[in-house]
Amino acid sequence: MSNRRTWQFLPALAVLLPCLVWISHGYTPPDSYLIDCGSQTNTTVGGRIFLADQSASNFLSTPQNVLAETSNSVPSSEYSQLYQTARIFTGTTKYTFFISRTGRHWIRLYLNPFPYDGFDMSTMKFAVLVQDSVLLNDFSVSSAIMREFSVNVTSGTFVITIMPSTGSFAFLNALEVVSMPDEIIVDEAGTLPPGKFGGLTGQTLETVWRVNMGGPLVSFRNDTLFRTWVPDSPFLINSNLAKNFSNIGAVKYVPGMATQDIAPRSVYGTVAEMNTQGSLNNNINVTWEFTIDVGARHLVRFHLCDIVSKSLNLLYFSVYIDSSVVAPDLDLSRISSNTLAAAYYFDIVTPVSESNKILVKVGPSKRFASNQNAILNGLEIMKLTDGNGAPSSSSSGKSVFLIAGVSGGVFVALVLFVGIGYLLCLRRSQRRTANSELSKSWIPLSTEGGTPSRSMGSKYSNGTVTTASPAHYFGYRFPFIAIQEATKNFGESEIIGIGGFGKVYKGSLSDGTRVAVKRGNSRSQQGLAEFRTEIEMLSQFRHRHLVSLIGYCDENNEMILIYEYMENGTLKSRLYGHELPSLGWKERLEICIGAARGLHYLHTSHAKAVIHRDVKSANILLDENLMAKMADFGLSKAGPDLDQTHVTTAVKGSFGYLDPEYFRRQQLTEKSDVYSFGVVLFEVLCARPVIDPSLPRDMVNLAEWAMMWQKKGQLEQIIDPALAGKIKAISLRKFGETAEKCLADFGVDRPSMADVLWNLEYALQLQEAGMQRDKEHSNTIMISELSSELSSLSHVDRILAAAQFDASSEGEVSISQVFSQLVKSEGR
Ligand SMILES: *[C@@H]1O[C@H](CO)[C@@H](O)[C@H](O)[C@H]1NC(C)=O
Ligand SMILES: *[C@@H]1O[C@H](CO)[C@@H](O)[C@H](O)[C@H]1NC(C)=O
Ligand SMILES: *[C@@H]1O[C@H](CO)[C@@H](O)[C@H](O)[C@H]1NC(C)=O
Ligand SMILES: *[C@@H]1O[C@H](CO)[C@@H](O)[C@H](O)[C@H]1NC(C)=O
Ligand SMILES: *[C@@H]1O[C@H](CO)[C@@H](O)[C@H](O)[C@H]1NC(C)=O
């Protein structure tokens, strides 16, 4: 009897729900954040737009990520589109969302591990935390899945923390934070054994199973809350005892009972019922078995709708969980006050599970033997992630201690314990990533060849370029046939580089001029915009340290750029990954000085600074004399007007070099180039890739790694072994300090390119000059004396002095001579 009373209580509860407002379909969530991580384009799935990663970057705390894309086929699923790209988190990262209406929200995490550029997502382990809940802990995933959580968001600022486990990374393919009607989860539920469970509203729930009985998969397209309902047949213990029935048209939503938001018509309109055909007696249970996590309470929601009966009061059946009855002798006609086929649901919270299996059964009522049948229309199993005392983790089993820890004090202690542990981890990881200057890539990393080969076509431009034809900017338009001749008809043997933009060929014009020919492989809008920017920039700027554009060709929709040939390829290819003799320290310094001059010229020679935006070793080319020239202006942008401090723009650049401040604020200044140049300086010193996922965690990001050693004052520990013993300590110190300043967290704290240039000249002078005293101590004194003398030069003077280097560029004046002049000329 007491059982019955419990179950009669439920419908009454339902009547009280203020659910009439959203009785029909079309719930519009007040908050909806959908992000297709790693994607360069917005992705529409089921009519909803998942934002391109870039469009969602303002939610992110740090740019320490890699954007990954797979060209392999992804597991077919409703979310396949979202599984194509991912963001790899190399450090703890937070997403922060503004919540306009607190209360229940879905958090959906889409995960499909794939290999990318040395990263293996299937081995990554990480945690995902929100508010007080640990959604995932030490979690790893081997195949595509979507994890769904329902969180009661209690503050207007909602933070999701993605935290790689020690020595690992994290990744996400897509992320959703979307309001759901609060009424979906009411505070009270029945319990097992029969009783009342209060306090569901505070709970974070994780969807474990969501099943449509007796029918096909119900796509999120047919669900007002974007839920997917899977068919029940795989869970049936004895499928001979069940049969399908469907009558979607019969379903009625009765005020006060279930609504379309609770479950859609396609779920209530199909049913699994008893199949007594092959059975001797009519007394059978239809049984489903589901795997669940050990050590957690689960909310089991039964969806029922009598679409099988011809009239009222014919169907009486019982519902069981494991061997316990949770709804004896259920009479749906009475619950619905005599409406046939009214949609109805009820909730049961299970005790903390001791087994990883749960059985759900329906069987005919023994009290009313007339019409032997039992039905179930839908089922949801949600894990309660709070109040179990342990962070829910799918990969690790829970200890007995954690299971036992559900009750009061222990629970509080555990929450504290987990919380403190989390804070400590966070602190540690923050310390680890302090000064981390990791950055991210908006492009798939391209294979760099011998000459400029950046993946131009794969980046996108945002319409900063005018639409005038290239001829408007530049006169040297080449006929296609001339380029065909120059490159032996684009012969494979002439290829010197391949990038996302296309292939780079070496060639020889009819007058014998050697050229590098970059041929875009598609006339996409993006590629076209960058093609134009490149022509526009290079025709405006002529400088010894900027690569020269000889011409272009846009015949037959071709996008071909013809540059002066640079014998020694990219700085990057000359630094590492080759068999050539290593560059000496003086050569490296001179290359850095050359590149710095090119940048300084870009920043200062016109009324408006031009910001390169993609400064990296692969965009610094070396001619036959190892003279450095900046290349690849496809992303360049005019700097701020005089009365402004920055340009607001979408973030572009290359992973490992990108200015974190620019990334955070999307405000571009020359100082972003300075940052990237600082990374190049460390790259030159250490001769290793700026991002190398094959290295131990701490070493992956060069900027972070080098800054750590620089701050310790032990930069010499990590320099290119080929330079060991060949750099004077004093020169190395100057160089290290210069790079460090370039990597300052805030642009305002970074030097101008003129200052950088000056300091590099200084480092060269220190290396070369007759400062023979070996003892570091005396060197230090000399440096500081000299520094204070030189720093008395005003900023303007120094820029003028730097400009003087360029003016003298035609002459034979050596860098050191100019430097001496500079030192002398400041004696005022
Ligand atoms: C994606 O859509 C948003 C909002 O509709 C828009 O602001 C953004 O520019 C789009 N991004 C891309 C890369 O198309
Ligand atoms: C969210 O939690 C707060 C505090 O536990 C509670 O007052 C509120 O009713 C909850 N809201 C919902 C929609 O569950
Ligand atoms: C019920 O329908 C589902 C999907 O439509 C099907 O896969 C399953 O085999 C059917 N089950 C029975 C017992 O007929
Ligand atoms: C989903 O909805 C469409 C139309 O809205 C309907 O044609 C289709 O049958 C529905 N699918 C299911 C499984 O109910
Ligand atoms: C159905 O399952 C319940 C709970 O385990 C059990 O008590 C009952 O005997 C079962 N009925 C049949 C016919 O097996």
Side-chain angles (χ1 to χ4, degrees):
M1 276 310 283
S2 72
N3 281 356
R4 288 200 74 178
R5 215 172 302 128
T6 307
W7 296 111
Q8 282 158 1
F9 162 74
L10 279 166
L13 187 76
V15 173
L16 298 174
L17 298 178
C19 52
L20 294 170
V21 206
W22 31 274
I23 195 100
S24 63
H25 43 103
Y27 167 75
T28 308
D31 302 308
S32 178
Y33 297 100
L34 313 176
I35 302 171
D36 187 3
C37 303
S39 173
Q40 297 199 348
T41 53
N42 288 341
T43 306
T44 306
V45 179
R48 305 195 309 164
I49 297 169
F50 284 71
L51 286 186
D53 198 306
Q54 183 181 13
S55 306
S57 59
N58 50 330
F59 304 122
L60 274 170
S61 59
T62 57
Q64 316 170 283
N65 309 293
V66 186
L67 300 194
E69 186 165 6
T70 182
S71 48
N72 299 342
S73 64
V74 298
S76 104
S77 109
E78 295 201 290
Y79 324 115
S80 293
Q81 277 170 285
L82 299 175
Y83 288 152
Q84 212 83 44
T85 57
R87 166 181 281 267
I88 296 169
F89 303 88
T90 55
T92 297
T93 304
K94 291 178 177 177
Y95 279 95
T96 304
F97 299 102
F98 167 74
I99 298 297
S100 65
R101 230 205 63 197
T102 57
R104 285 268 159 208
H105 286 69
W106 298 117
I107 313 297
R108 294 189 176 111
L109 308 173
Y110 298 81
L111 299 151
N112 172 41
F114 56 80
Y116 175 77
D117 201 47
F119 292 95
D120 181 0
M121 298 182 204
S122 64
T123 62
M124 293 182 185
K125 282 191 161 187
F126 56 98
V128 177
L129 308 109
V130 300
Q131 297 182 154
D132 304 332
S133 300
V134 182
L135 301 186
L136 301 173
N137 187 28
D138 221 10
F139 177 79
S140 66
V141 50
S142 56
S143 58
I145 54 161
M146 191 274 282
R147 301 289 292 252
E148 181 187 273
F149 302 85
S150 164
V151 177
N152 176 352
V153 175
T154 50
S155 137
T157 307
F158 182 65
V159 178
I160 299 183
T161 305
I162 317 275
M163 198 165 73
S165 302
T166 312
S168 189
F169 300 110
F171 77 98
L172 267 188
N173 299 79
L175 171 67
E176 258 187 59
V177 177
V178 178
S179 308
M180 60 189 276
D182 287 337
E183 296 80 358
I184 297 294
I185 303 295
V186 296
D187 198 53
E188 284 192 1
T191 57
L192 187 64
K196 232 196 286 178
F197 184 96
L200 275 176
T201 49
Q203 289 278 346
T204 292
L205 304 169
E206 177 180 0
T207 307
V208 183
W209 297 109
R210 179 172 289 131
V211 186
N212 177 30
M213 267 65 188
L217 180 129
V218 174
S219 155
F220 52 68
R221 292 160 217 276
N222 287 45
D223 185 296
T224 53
L225 304 181
F226 207 68
R227 291 165 299 197
T228 298
W229 304 72
V230 300
D232 69 310
S233 28
F235 306 100
L236 272 173
I237 293 237
N238 184 347
S239 53
N240 294 330
L241 299 182
K243 64 181 182 197
N244 292 340
F245 183 75
S246 158
N247 187 1
I248 293 176
V251 177
K252 292 185 194 68
Y253 288 102
V254 174
M257 294 179 63
T259 64
Q260 296 223 38
D261 288 337
I262 294 289
R265 210 171 271 282
S266 9
V267 170
Y268 281 118
T270 64
V271 73
E273 60 176 335
M274 276 171 55
N275 180 12
T276 47
Q277 220 94 65
S279 161
L280 287 178
N281 64 42
N282 290 343
N283 197 6
I284 53 173
N285 285 336
V286 181
T287 309
W288 295 266
E289 183 182 77
F290 300 93
T291 53
I292 54 168
D293 281 355
V294 176
R297 282 176 170 261
H298 289 83
L299 173 66
V300 182
R301 173 167 292 183
F302 296 85
H303 295 278
L304 295 163
C305 182
D306 183 4
I307 54 169
V308 297
S309 298
K310 297 275 183 297
S311 62
L312 289 165
N313 303 103
L314 289 178
L315 178 68
Y316 299 87
F317 63 103
S318 299
V319 180
Y320 310 89
I321 290 179
D322 293 326
S323 54
S324 311
V325 66
V326 295
D329 309 321
L330 206 55
D331 177 2
L332 293 173
S333 301
R334 207 184 55 228
I335 290 169
S336 65
S337 319
N338 296 332
T339 303
L340 192 60
Y344 167 70
Y345 77 95
F346 68 87
D347 290 339
I348 299 291
V349 173
T350 67
V352 173
S353 47
E354 287 167 17
S355 151
N356 69 343
K357 297 249 180 333
I358 188 170
L359 295 178
V360 169
K361 310 177 193 179
V362 293
S365 167
K366 296 184 189 72
R367 285 167 51 107
F368 307 93
S370 59
N371 197 356
Q372 296 276 306
N373 202 357
I375 62 164
L376 187 60
N377 305 64
L379 186 82
E380 288 172 277
I381 301 180
M382 293 167 257
K383 183 167 84 169
L384 276 58
T385 65
D386 306 337
N388 295 316
S392 58
S393 156
S394 62
S395 57
S396 59
K398 275 122 217 134
S399 69
V400 178
F401 167 66
L402 294 178
I403 297 170
V406 181
S407 56
V410 183
F411 167 57
V412 171
L414 273 169
V415 167
L416 281 175
F417 174 76
V418 169
I420 291 168
Y422 165 44
L423 284 178
L424 286 176
C425 284
L426 214 59
R427 284 265 297 280
R428 209 176 308 130
S429 77
Q430 272 166 357
R431 206 174 314 132
R432 190 172 51 232
T433 56
N435 313 310
S436 89
E437 312 299 346
L438 275 157
S439 30
K440 63 188 301 301
S441 161
W442 298 107
I443 51 161
L445 304 176
S446 59
T447 1
E448 256 94 31
T451 42
S453 62
R454 206 224 38 215
S455 49
M456 194 156 135
S458 63
K459 298 182 185 180
Y460 36 118
S461 277
N462 58 354
T464 56
V465 186
T466 65
T467 49
S469 94
H472 175 77
Y473 305 116
F474 193 75
Y476 305 131
R477 189 171 177 177
F478 277 62
F480 185 64
I481 186 160
I483 303 167
Q484 272 181 312
E485 269 165 28
T487 59
K488 302 190 179 149
N489 198 17
F490 300 102
E492 292 290 309
S493 60
E494 308 303 295
I495 294 176
I496 48 177
I498 297 176
F501 172 81
K503 291 175 178 156
V504 184
Y505 302 82
K506 63 174 189 274
S508 183
L509 299 179
S510 52
D511 67 354
T513 311
R514 300 188 67 194
V515 291
V517 174
K518 189 150 102 177
R519 186 187 194 190
N521 48 15
S522 74
R523 191 144 202 176
S524 68
Q525 279 307 307
Q526 296 163 6
L528 185 60
E530 292 191 12
F531 179 67
R532 285 177 175 150
T533 308
E534 178 99 3
I535 294 171
E536 180 188 17
M537 288 295 171
L538 283 176
S539 51
Q540 281 179 42
F541 295 98
R542 289 272 158 189
H543 189 264
R544 204 158 70 116
H545 292 287
L546 300 184
V547 74
S548 305
L549 186 65
I550 292 175
Y552 72 93
C553 170
D554 61 355
E555 247 174 65
N556 314 327
N557 281 354
E558 289 284 348
M559 286 192 292
I560 297 173
L561 294 166
I562 303 148
Y563 301 91
E564 63 176 313
Y565 186 73
M566 299 291 280
E567 200 80 44
N568 276 301
T570 68
L571 170 59
K572 181 175 181 172
S573 64
R574 196 62 189 72
L575 274 177
Y576 44 89
H578 62 76
E579 303 297 317
L580 303 166
S582 301
L583 295 170
W585 181 234
K586 180 172 176 251
E587 284 169 316
R588 296 189 203 198
L589 279 174
E590 283 177 343
I591 288 167
C592 293
I593 289 166
R597 285 185 184 185
L599 279 175
H600 170 64
Y601 170 80
L602 274 184
H603 288 180
T604 56
S605 63
H606 283 56
K608 257 193 201 179
V610 168
I611 302 165
H612 185 284
R613 282 218 290 181
D614 202 11
V615 174
K616 58 179 178 181
S617 59
N619 283 340
I620 297 172
L621 302 183
L622 303 174
D623 74 2
E624 70 274 20
N625 302 317
L626 290 177
M627 187 165 83
K629 302 192 180 200
M630 292 304 305
D632 219 330
F633 297 84
L635 290 183
S636 312
K637 205 166 161 65
D641 288 320
L642 288 177
D643 55 345
Q644 289 174 329
T645 56
H646 62 263
V647 183
T648 301
T649 173
V651 177
K652 283 164 197 181
S654 293
F655 180 43
Y657 296 94
L658 191 68
D659 169 13
E661 188 185 38
Y662 168 39
F663 176 85
R664 278 193 302 270
R665 304 175 56 199
Q666 312 201 1
Q667 294 176 347
L668 186 66
T669 71
E670 299 98 292
K671 296 299 181 68
S672 300
D673 281 351
V674 173
Y675 180 93
S676 306
F677 190 74
V679 180
V680 170
L681 292 181
F682 279 131
E683 193 182 359
V684 164
L685 183 65
C686 305
R688 53 150 281 188
V690 294
I691 297 293
D692 186 347
S694 67
L695 293 172
R697 169 72 183 268
D698 283 358
M699 300 174 65
V700 169
N701 185 295
L702 173 62
E704 192 179 339
W705 177 241
M707 281 295 271
M708 190 187 89
W709 288 98
Q710 165 65 19
K711 297 227 154 145
K712 280 200 237 177
Q714 296 178 14
L715 196 56
E716 68 277 6
Q717 302 281 343
I718 59 162
I719 64 173
D720 182 358
L723 292 175
K726 295 185 183 152
I727 311 182
K728 287 194 181 136
I730 194 167
S731 176
L732 177 61
R733 183 167 327 134
K734 189 77 215 160
F735 188 86
E737 284 167 9
T738 308
E740 180 182 3
K741 282 183 196 140
C742 292
L743 297 193
D745 284 333
F746 300 103
V748 291
D749 299 331
R750 293 176 204 147
S752 66
M753 276 318 293
D755 292 333
V756 173
L757 184 52
W758 191 90
N759 278 289
L760 290 174
E761 292 281 3
Y762 196 170
L764 178 64
Q765 190 68 6
L766 292 171
Q767 177 74 16
E768 295 224 289
M771 300 179 177
Q772 309 297 9
R773 270 166 284 183
D774 282 320
K775 289 202 183 66
E776 240 183 52
H777 192 68
S778 48
N779 279 351
T780 313
I781 293 169
M782 278 212 64
I783 281 195
S784 55
E785 282 169 353
L786 191 52
S787 298
S788 63
E789 237 180 300
L790 290 174
S791 63
S792 66
L793 273 175
S794 78
H795 186 69
V796 174
D797 286 343
R798 273 190 269 162
I799 291 178
L800 288 174
Q804 211 181 315
F805 296 138
D806 295 314
S808 70
S809 59
E810 303 312 322
E812 293 306 306
V813 189
S814 82
I815 288 164
S816 344
Q817 281 172 308
V818 177
F819 181 81
S820 328
Q821 284 168 12
L822 172 65
V823 173
K824 286 186 203 117
S825 73
E826 57 65 51
R828 49 180 91 171

